[in-house]
Amino acid sequence: MSSYLELSARERLAQLFDAGSFTEFLPPKARVISPHLAQLDAPVAFDDGVAVGRACLDGRTVFAAAQEGGFMGGAVGEVHGAKLVGLLRRAIAERAAGVVLLLESGGVRLHEANAGLVAVSEVMRAVLDARNAGVPVIALIGGANGCFGGMGIVARCTNAVIMSEEARLGMSGPEVIETASGVEEFDSRDRALVWRTTGGKHRYLLGDCQELVADKVADFRAAAIATLDRLQVQETALSLAALEAEQDMLARRLDRFGTLEEPMQIWAALGIAEPRSLPLLEAGPFVEQVAAHRIGAN
Amino acid sequence: MDWNTIASALFPRGHDITERDLFLSGTAQVGETRVAVVGTTGHAPIGVEIALAQARFILQTVREHPGRPILILVDTVGQRLRHRDEMLGINSYMAHLGKCVELARRQGHPVLGLVYDQALSGGFITSGLMADACYALPDSTIRVMGLPAMARITKVPEERLTELAASNPVFAPGPENYLRMGGVREIWQGELGAQLEAALAELAPVDERAALGLARGGRKFAQPVIEAIMAGRDVLAS
């Protein structure tokens, strides 16, 4: 069974969706590349690090995007961001059954920083436009680079986040924090700490991710299908009631855990008897064991 | 830049904005309209608390004052870089703030952003850049990160970046570059109160920043790429 983490963006698209169903918009042969990289003598990619298009998921027509972590860490520049915005707007126009975003990104591409920053905010608005139009948007996170910076925010603007145990989701990567605030603040080489802080299990326990799966494409596919099914019968748009509930959830999180220093202390505070055992558990047994303790799926 | 000075210039008819731990909130009179004002000062690092406070104020405005315009005053060095904030899921707090701004707009609240001092990365995309339109003062600073840090990460020498920054709006800081890219709608000079009143009267309900970026020559690819995908064309017409 394929490891999702080890696959390229295009391999993920090919294996996650119904066989042969992915049709790409602006494929590499269209040669739409970033106009800003050459002047910095940086390499370019003919898809600018993201493949977007239409696909079938268990027979349903959905729109899909996959960021390629192998090209500049999946970072968002002008063209990369515009491809995501175009995809989301077309999904609205064609009343797609959903949009599936395979996110793997360090955030804004510094080589075209300003354009990337504006682009990320355009992607945020486009995601919320799709939701408002009744098109559910879901994010899958399971790549080696994690999902950080602006894309970490985009992920939490979707209807649902699906992560693997190995996935990471956050705002600033550990190296950035270590550089800015010192190794005592966050030791980026302490892999176990990095994982406890931003990894899939911690996000699942906090309620920032709705499904936790093993690092297998088939598991991501099954979770994506189930999530899309669930969202067909739910309100996808933002509402005052839902955002007030989220406000309460985030405020309670701050009250309960704001003075703690270690993710494991949070797990203990959630009532988990042996927090030290969590890192060792496979996804299935982990989900079973923490079901009664995790903060409610939203 | 002292927020009190800016507030006096923006609201000659008065305001009741208060500051608490770098968080600004209150209301102000603009022409005949009462406006809700929220934002930060002192180059605030946006941590989970301040993101949540801004979101709470916006939700309260939506609940209690339907349709009241909202002005977001931006002065931030970006997201707070702490292990604790990451552990608590700061990206979720920021996304929540962005969603609250979006909800306000959807419910008929005109939402304006104004960068009056600094605007960096994470703190900016979930506030000013989520507004219907974002404006800036001429002396403000807008950027993703400083050139020395950018040089370290991109491995491009700082001298080269400084040289390129002089001519290329894509990574040079400053409101003029964001204006050219469509991220900033206008740079306000002169009578701030009159500018604000005029801006409130001419809001666009759709995101037209990519089109503005094309028209102003700062982002020539974003709009053509979006249009090509929308139209199902493979080759760019530009």
Side-chain angles (χ1 to χ4, degrees), chain A residues 196-280:
Chain A
R196 287 198 299 278
T197 303
T198 59
K201 284 177 178 167
H202 182 56
R203 295 298 176 224
Y204 183 74
L205 286 167
L206 285 183
D208 285 347
C209 132
Q210 285 66 49
E211 298 284 338
L212 187 83
V213 298
D215 174 37
K216 294 184 179 119
V217 184
D219 290 26
F220 270 104
R221 175 179 159 89
I225 292 169
T227 301
L228 208 53
D229 283 346
R230 173 170 66 79
L231 291 171
Q232 299 305 312
V233 293
Q234 285 184 3
E235 180 59 61
T236 57
L238 296 174
S239 70
L240 180 58
L243 285 176
E244 288 193 325
E246 186 170 74
Q247 179 83 24
D248 288 345
M249 186 269 278
L250 293 172
R252 270 203 311 276
R253 182 188 297 183
L254 195 51
D255 284 346
R256 292 179 71 186
F257 312 132
T259 58
L260 303 182
E261 292 171 356
E262 229 293 333
M264 229 180 272
Q265 295 173 342
I266 295 181
W267 306 347
L270 283 169
I272 290 164
E274 286 182 57
R276 280 175 196 286
S277 71
L278 294 190
L280 304 170

Side-chain angles (χ1 to χ4, degrees), chain B residues 145-192:
Chain B
M145 62 170 61
L147 290 184
M150 207 180 280
R152 263 201 313 278
I153 292 170
T154 60
K155 312 232 182 333
V156 175
E158 193 182 334
E159 303 75 54
R160 175 83 179 121
L161 286 181
T162 308
E163 185 190 317
L164 286 166
S167 61
N168 190 324
V170 165
F171 50 79
E176 301 83 12
N177 293 324
Y178 278 81
L179 180 83
R180 284 177 66 187
M181 286 184 302
V184 161
R185 198 170 179 92
E186 271 175 45
I187 295 172
W188 285 351
Q189 319 210 30
E191 287 283 319
L192 293 187

Side-chain angles (χ1 to χ4, degrees), chain B residues 80-219:
Chain B
R80 190 159 63 193
L81 298 168
R82 310 294 293 205
H83 173 264
R84 167 195 178 257
D85 287 85
E86 290 299 323
M87 177 179 80
L88 292 170
I90 185 173
N91 61 309
S92 292
Y93 287 78
M94 290 196 156
H96 175 65
L97 172 57
K99 286 183 278 190
C100 290
V101 174
E102 180 73 20
L103 175 82
R105 182 182 26 249
R106 295 232 173 258
Q107 304 246 356
H109 296 257
V111 185
L112 287 186
L114 175 64
V115 180
Y116 70 98
D117 199 323
Q118 288 201 21
L120 265 80
S121 59
F124 188 33
I125 56 176
T126 52
S127 58
L129 284 180
M130 284 300 284
D132 286 299
C134 187
Y135 298 83
L137 298 189
D139 294 331
S140 62
T141 304
I142 311 180
R143 62 184 176 190
V144 171
M145 62 170 61
L147 290 184
M150 207 180 280
R152 263 201 313 278
I153 292 170
T154 60
K155 312 232 182 333
V156 175
E158 193 182 334
E159 303 75 54
R160 175 83 179 121
L161 286 181
T162 308
E163 185 190 317
L164 286 166
S167 61
N168 190 324
V170 165
F171 50 79
E176 301 83 12
N177 293 324
Y178 278 81
L179 180 83
R180 284 177 66 187
M181 286 184 302
V184 161
R185 198 170 179 92
E186 271 175 45
I187 295 172
W188 285 351
Q189 319 210 30
E191 287 283 319
L192 293 187
Q195 306 250 20
L196 173 59
E197 210 171 331
L200 278 172
E202 54 146 43
L203 286 178
V206 293
D207 188 349
E208 50 190 25
R209 290 174 290 181
L212 274 181
L214 178 65
R216 294 170 179 175
R219 274 195 303 159

Side-chain angles (χ1 to χ4, degrees), chain A residues 92-204:
Chain A
I92 297 170
E94 295 191 17
R95 305 195 154 278
V99 178
V100 183
L101 303 175
L102 282 54
L103 303 183
E104 179 171 0
S105 179
V108 171
R109 185 185 294 168
L110 291 175
H111 303 74
E112 38 188 306
N114 297 343
L117 193 69
V118 179
V120 167
S121 79
E122 288 170 334
V123 173
M124 285 174 68
R125 282 189 63 176
V127 164
L128 297 172
D129 282 343
R131 289 183 51 177
N132 192 61
V135 178
V137 184
I138 61 180
L140 275 51
I141 302 172
N145 294 283
C147 181
F148 285 95
M151 293 311 293
I153 298 175
V154 168
R156 290 292 282 135
C157 287
T158 67
N159 288 103
V161 174
I162 299 168
M163 293 177 76
S164 65
E165 312 170 63
E166 289 83 357
R168 291 178 299 131
L169 170 63
M171 183 73 214
S172 309
E175 292 83 4
V176 174
I177 294 176
E178 187 184 304
T179 303
S181 311
V183 69
E184 302 78 15
E185 178 65 31
F186 200 169
D187 182 354
S188 66
R189 282 162 304 174
D190 185 342
R191 303 318 291 173
L193 173 66
V194 168
W195 182 87
R196 287 198 299 278
T197 303
T198 59
K201 284 177 178 167
H202 182 56
R203 295 298 176 224
Y204 183 74

Side-chain angles (χ1 to χ4, degrees), chain B residues 15-40:
Chain B
H15 69 82
D16 60 18
I17 302 165
T18 56
E19 175 190 343
R20 195 182 156 204
D21 300 332
L22 306 183
F23 166 65
L24 300 176
S25 64
T27 63
Q29 193 66 29
V30 179
E32 299 307 310
T33 312
R34 202 72 191 161
V35 172
V37 183
V38 65
T40 56

Side-chain angles (χ1 to χ4, degrees), chain A residues 23 25 53-55 61-63 86-99 133 135, chain B residues 228-233:
Chain A
T23 311
F25 307 147
R54 193 196 285 108
T61 300
V62 296
F63 281 56
L87 179 86
L88 286 153
R89 291 196 188 160
R90 187 161 167 188
I92 297 170
E94 295 191 17
R95 305 195 154 278
V99 178
V135 178
Chain B
I229 290 177
M230 291 290 290
R233 280 187 278 111

